[in-house]
Amino acid sequence: MNNREIAIVAYVYILICLAVFFTFINIEHKRTINSLNIHKEQLFEAKKLVIELADENDALYGAVDGLNTYINKMDKLDRLIQDLESVPRKERNKTLANCYNETNLTYGAVHKGPYDKTTIGICGVKTAWIDVIPELTDHNIDSLYGGYLVLSHLEKQEGSYIKGLQKYKGSIKNQAPVQHVLKLENLIKGS
């Protein structure tokens, strides 16, 4: 064999080796692409699962918030019922109507008027009444009982329920708040 034949055989051998090498690289490349596609699909499925779990988590948090709101409302209703039991039965409608008119039955309400900064609580009682009515204290001023005590005191002092309510509301000339309380009282009575 001469040099030329050896060179041709070497070229053919190199071409065969390169063909085998590139075939293996091509096969490996296809395997890598397939593996990446599989991982891409798995990643997509994982993303979908994470989104579904996040949605379920949000729904659960929403449900918990709803339950907490419901529990808070029930606690407030329980407090109102216990508080209402301290008011004499025949005065409950008046007290509820008056206090609802003041704060929509919200405990801890602070009434910010331009002239008076001392009116507080569920029934809008002025703190000055603590010195006037012996049964009224710092502990029961924010209660239906506190509102009942002040309204009852004013009713006795003024000689009638309407006049006492007018003084309670500070509405000697403006009768709208008093009329609203009377309407609420009739609604509570069911008449």
Side-chain angles (χ1 to χ4, degrees):
M1 270 194 154
N2 64 16
N3 282 342
R4 189 167 194 212
E5 289 175 348
I6 292 176
I8 291 176
V9 169
Y11 283 130
V12 169
Y13 183 70
I14 289 173
L15 286 175
I16 291 172
C17 287
L18 284 173
V20 169
F21 176 75
F22 282 117
T23 302
F24 281 130
I25 285 187
N26 192 21
I27 290 171
E28 188 62 31
H29 179 13
K30 286 181 181 178
R31 281 188 194 157
T32 304
I33 296 279
N34 287 339
S35 176
L36 285 174
N37 285 338
I38 289 171
H39 291 308
K40 191 176 181 181
E41 289 173 11
Q42 290 173 342
L43 182 62
F44 181 73
E45 290 298 319
K47 283 181 181 178
K48 281 179 24 182
L49 182 61
V50 166
I51 289 170
E52 288 173 10
L53 288 174
D55 289 345
E56 287 179 17
N57 193 25
D58 289 344
L60 288 173
Y61 276 121
V64 167
D65 288 343
L67 284 173
N68 284 336
T69 300
Y70 179 75
I71 288 169
N72 289 340
K73 286 180 182 177
M74 293 307 294
D75 288 344
K76 180 182 175 186
L77 285 174
D78 287 343
R79 183 176 176 188
L80 279 170
I81 289 169
Q82 289 174 353
D83 197 4
L84 192 58
E85 288 176 355
S86 64
V87 177
R89 183 177 285 294
K90 65 180 183 166
E91 300 296 321
R92 289 179 182 174
N93 294 341
K94 291 179 188 178
T95 303
L96 274 176
N98 185 40
C99 294
Y100 182 83
N101 180 258
E102 286 290 329
T103 65
N104 290 336
L105 300 176
T106 302
Y107 285 100
V110 177
H111 305 254
K112 296 181 179 178
Y115 305 109
D116 180 23
K117 307 275 189 230
T118 64
T119 304
I120 62 169
I122 188 171
C123 295
V125 175
K126 292 181 180 5
T127 54
W129 287 110
I130 292 174
D131 297 332
V132 177
I133 303 170
E135 296 90 8
L136 188 63
T137 66
D138 287 331
H139 300 291
N140 65 10
I141 195 168
D142 187 17
S143 68
L144 295 174
Y145 183 65
Y148 153 73
L149 288 173
V150 173
L151 185 58
S152 176
H153 175 79
L154 289 171
E155 189 176 339
K156 289 175 189 169
Q157 184 182 32
E158 297 297 316
S160 79
Y161 170 58
I162 301 293
K163 288 182 181 177
L165 191 56
Q166 287 172 336
K167 191 160 186 181
Y168 189 105
K169 296 291 182 192
S171 299
I172 305 304
K173 293 181 182 178
N174 179 10
Q175 293 300 307
V178 174
Q179 293 303 316
H180 188 252
V181 170
L182 295 174
K183 285 180 187 177
L184 287 172
E185 186 180 348
N186 284 333
L187 282 173
I188 293 169
K189 285 179 185 175
S191 32

